[in-house]
């Protein structure tokens, strides 16, 4: 392809600027377009094979570390992941300084990819992961006499990797790169594989948790006046105990609190990188480029915000009460009863709302959007896949609770909670996925809304008196009531339900993210399955559950905007 004068990435490109893909297996294809399609499939296949081999190699290392800690140690796994991180860093820097700056490299940008809420999640979870690595470095530095230097080097490389990757995803998540297709695909897939392995290690590595568990048991024994007897699984860890220093306790507690954020960061990055991988070589036609992007407006909703805000306030009170009680050595049963009762009241309301919303969708005369959209397809896959975390944990809990004593009050509440979680996830997924596939329709009176916005912008530039401000508030209130009354009952119901579910999912995201884990702390399932097994199950399911709540908020906001 010959290089022409560059235009902005948002404007449509002529064919002379398009870099058609080539692959040596398909060099004899009759047409350029056919050769391009075959080369694209071959590039995706080979980059996918690269990621699969890297994931299998890393999984073999991590599995060997779990089952044979003498031959393969945690330090060996860290060395492998450090090498992968360094390779990813080299590729990201090359992409930022080389690939993306080539002429006509980014002719198109996917408007659906890299939504602000998901890029904000990358920054939020990335910041928490950096802080987590800082705590790990501080903790290992204090215990340097019994820790290896790899435990300081690995998080240091991790901080550099997180910063570079977060910058890369914030600025380039919408790119539809048109040059160096295969090299870019391989780089993206290598980065996805590295994030998956970091997530897998975070799920299975319970070294520090066992250290803290052993220290708590030693404290309990001292209070009971018993001689210290070390279990077989903590012979090594008790030699490396945190000294009686405040800073060491801060590092330790901070590490435990921020631990789930690292797994969330890896999952979010994988989803954004996968969309970028699908968009490599993608050429967006005119009808795929939206002329007007719908904006979020708090109009047409009354009961949804009221009910949702009530759920958030009550949930925050329950969460604070739980955190105060659960941090003690012997948490009371009452706090678990209150926590489960809150969920047992809220989850049926959310399920009923989702079912009603699905029925309203079926009654609407709104066509399904069948256009190809990689971002929406990934949203559907992520909603279905992330829901498996909570559903899987719930089924494990159901088996454990039924097999022990389901008639006990706390066990029956936990059993009801697990069943309702499964039903709520399924009904909400159906509602959100159905809403994402509905075509956008132009709201009635949009021209009037636009005029009111313009008048509001001009008016806000003038200095207003107290009397004028009161008149403006009255005018805004009348406009809100007018908009609410003009909405059809179907759209009104969809907006109310969507907003209510958004607020509910936010509080259900906040509570487990910031430390409320009764499914691990109540001890029922842990005593049934054993500490190590239940630790892996919870660390696998809990981050997926948190990711599901966060991703549901984005999907429900999309349903709300398009209603």
């Amino acid at each position: 392809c010959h290089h022409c004068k560059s235009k902005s990435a948002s404007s449509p490109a002529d064919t002379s600027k398009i870099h058609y893909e080539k692959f040596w297996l398909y060099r004899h294809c009759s047409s350029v377009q056919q050769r391009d399609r075959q080369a694209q499939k071959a590039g995706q296949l080979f980059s996918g094979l690269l990621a699969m081999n890297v994931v299998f190699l890393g999984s073999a290392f991590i599995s060997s570390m779990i089952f044979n800690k003498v031959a393969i140690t945690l330090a060996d796994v860290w060395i492998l992941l450090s090498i992968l991180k360094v390779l990813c860093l080299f590729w990201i820097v090359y992409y930022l300084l080389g690939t993306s700056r080539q002429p006509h490299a980014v002719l198109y940008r996917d408007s659906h990819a890299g939504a602000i809420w998901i890029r904000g999640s990358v920054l939020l979870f990335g910041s928490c992961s950096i802080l987590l690595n800082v705590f790990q470095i501080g903790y290992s530095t204090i215990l340097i006499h019994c820790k290896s230097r790899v435990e300081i080097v690995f998080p240091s490389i991790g901080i550099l990797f997180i910063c570079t990757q977060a910058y890369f995803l914030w600025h380039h998540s919408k790119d539809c790169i048109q040059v160096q297709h295969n090299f870019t695909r391989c780089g993206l897939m290598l980065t996805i594989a590295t994030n998956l392995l970091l997530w897998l290690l975070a799920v299975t590595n319970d070294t520090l948790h066992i250290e803290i568990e052993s220290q708590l048991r030693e404290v309990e024994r001292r209070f009971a006046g018993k001689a210290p007897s070390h279990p077989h699984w903590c012979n090594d860890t008790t030699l490396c105990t945190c000294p009686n220093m405040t800073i060491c306790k801060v590092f330790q507690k901070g590490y435990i609190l921020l631990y789930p954020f690292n797994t969330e960061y890896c999952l979010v990055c994988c989803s954004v990188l996968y969309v970028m991988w699908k968009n490599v070589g993608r050429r967006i036609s005119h009808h795929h480029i939206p002329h007007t992007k719908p904006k979020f407006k708090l109009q047409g909703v009354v009961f949804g915000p009221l009910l949702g805000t009530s759920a958030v306030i009550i949930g925050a009170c329950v969460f604070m009460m739980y955190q105060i009680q659960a941090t003690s050595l012997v948490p009371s049963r009452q706090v678990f009863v209150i926590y489960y009762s809150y969920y047992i009241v809220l989850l049926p309301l959310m399920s009923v709302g989702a079912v009603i919303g699905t029925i309203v969708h079926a009654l609407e005369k709104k066509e399904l959007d069948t256009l190809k959209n990689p971002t929406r397809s990934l949203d559907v896959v992520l909603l279905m896949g992330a829901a498996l975390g909570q559903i899987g944990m719930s089924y494990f809990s159901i088996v454990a609770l039924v097999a022990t004593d389901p008639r006990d009050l706390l066990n029956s509440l936990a059993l009801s909670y697990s069943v309702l979680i499964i039903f709520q996830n399924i009904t909400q997924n159906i509602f959100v996925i159905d809403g994402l596939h509905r075509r956008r329709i132009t709201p009635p009176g949009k021209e009037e809304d636009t005029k009111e916005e313009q008048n509001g912008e001009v008016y806000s530039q003038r200095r207003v008196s107290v009397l004028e401000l009161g008149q403006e508030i009255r005018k805004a209130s009348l406009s809100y009531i007018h908009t609410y009354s003009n909405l059809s009952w179907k759209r009104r119901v969809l907006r109310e339900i969507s907003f209510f579910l958004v607020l509910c999912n936010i509080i259900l995201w906040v509570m487990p993210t910031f430390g409320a884990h009764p499914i691990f702390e109540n001890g029922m399932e842990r005593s049934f399955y054993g500490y190590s097994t239940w630790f892996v199950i919870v660390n696998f399911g809990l981050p997926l559950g948190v990711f599901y709540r966060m991703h549901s908020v984005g999907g429900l906001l999309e349903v709300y905007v398009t209603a």
Side-chain angles (χ1 to χ4, degrees), residues 310 371 434:
S310 302
L371 293 175
D434 195 23

Side-chain angles (χ1 to χ4, degrees), residues 375-445:
T375 307
R376 185 177 58 202
S377 302
L378 180 65
D379 284 339
V380 173
V381 172
L382 288 177
L383 279 172
M384 299 295 290
L388 296 178
Q390 283 189 317
I391 291 173
M393 280 198 304
S394 297
Y395 277 118
F396 276 105
S397 293
I398 290 170
V399 172
L401 295 168
V402 170
T404 51
D405 185 12
R407 288 169 293 184
D408 179 67
L409 173 62
L410 191 56
N411 284 13
S412 59
L413 288 173
L415 185 62
S416 304
Y417 161 82
S418 299
V419 172
L420 289 171
I421 279 284
I422 295 170
F423 187 67
Q424 193 275 325
N425 280 332
I426 293 171
T427 53
Q428 182 171 278
N429 273 354
I430 294 171
F431 172 64
V432 174
I433 292 169
D434 195 23
L436 290 176
H437 284 84
R438 299 284 169 173
R439 285 187 185 275
R440 289 192 178 100
I441 57 175
T442 305

Side-chain angles (χ1 to χ4, degrees), residues 304-318:
L306 288 176
L307 288 173
T309 305
S310 302
V312 169
I313 293 171
I314 296 170
C317 295
V318 171

Side-chain angles (χ1 to χ4, degrees), residues 59-246:
S59 302
F61 261 76
I62 294 171
S63 302
S64 302
M65 177 200 71
I66 295 170
F67 297 113
N68 190 348
K69 294 186 178 182
V70 177
I72 301 293
T73 63
L74 182 60
D76 297 325
V77 177
W78 279 342
I79 291 169
L80 172 67
L81 290 175
S82 297
I83 293 170
L84 292 175
K85 284 181 181 179
V86 170
L87 290 175
C88 293
L89 282 171
F90 280 135
W91 173 77
I92 292 173
V93 171
Y94 177 77
Y95 181 92
L96 294 173
L97 301 180
T99 305
S100 63
R101 296 190 179 185
Q102 288 194 18
H104 319 307
V106 187
L107 295 174
Y108 312 93
R109 290 176 68 83
D110 185 358
S111 60
H112 298 284
I116 187 65
W117 66 270
I118 200 163
R119 286 186 293 150
S121 305
V122 170
L123 291 185
L124 172 65
F125 295 141
S127 303
C128 294
S129 299
I130 291 170
L131 199 57
L132 172 74
N133 284 313
V134 170
F135 285 153
Q136 188 177 359
I137 292 170
Y139 182 75
S140 300
T141 304
I142 291 173
L143 301 174
I144 192 65
H145 63 279
C146 58
K147 298 276 188 182
S148 66
R149 299 190 184 276
V150 180
E151 298 190 41
I152 299 175
V153 174
F154 179 72
S156 302
I157 297 174
I159 292 172
L160 184 60
F161 175 71
I162 292 166
C163 293
T164 309
Q165 183 174 245
Y167 176 86
F168 166 66
L169 294 179
W170 180 265
H171 290 282
H172 296 275
S173 58
K174 295 178 180 290
D175 289 1
C176 298
I177 201 75
Q178 301 295 321
V179 296
Q180 298 182 354
H181 304 90
N182 292 329
F183 187 63
T184 303
R185 285 195 186 98
C186 289
L188 287 167
M189 270 296 166
L190 179 65
T191 313
I192 290 174
T194 304
N195 280 283
L196 282 175
L197 290 175
L198 289 170
W199 170 76
L200 182 62
L201 179 64
V203 166
T204 55
N205 180 27
D206 58 351
T207 306
L208 187 61
H209 294 79
I210 287 179
E211 288 182 15
I212 296 169
E213 186 81 6
S214 65
Q215 291 171 31
L216 288 175
R217 292 193 181 191
E218 286 299 314
V219 171
E220 290 173 5
R221 286 193 193 97
R222 285 171 190 170
F223 276 119
K226 296 179 182 178
S229 58
H230 306 304
H232 69 279
W233 47 265
C234 60
N235 283 334
D236 297 329
T237 58
T238 49
L239 299 175
C240 199
T241 55
C242 196
N244 192 16
M245 294 169 57
T246 306

Side-chain angles (χ1 to χ4, degrees), residues 491-531:
R491 290 178 58 207
R492 197 183 306 167
V493 167
L494 287 175
R495 284 197 158 207
E496 299 280 12
I497 291 172
S498 301
F499 205 92
F500 170 68
L501 290 177
V502 164
L503 293 176
C504 290
N505 277 277
I506 287 174
I507 189 63
L508 295 187
W509 171 75
V510 168
M511 292 171 78
T513 301
F514 291 95
H517 308 140
I519 203 166
F520 188 77
E521 290 156 351
N522 63 22
M524 293 180 289
E525 296 92 345
R526 187 172 55 185
S527 60
F528 183 84
Y529 290 106
Y531 180 87

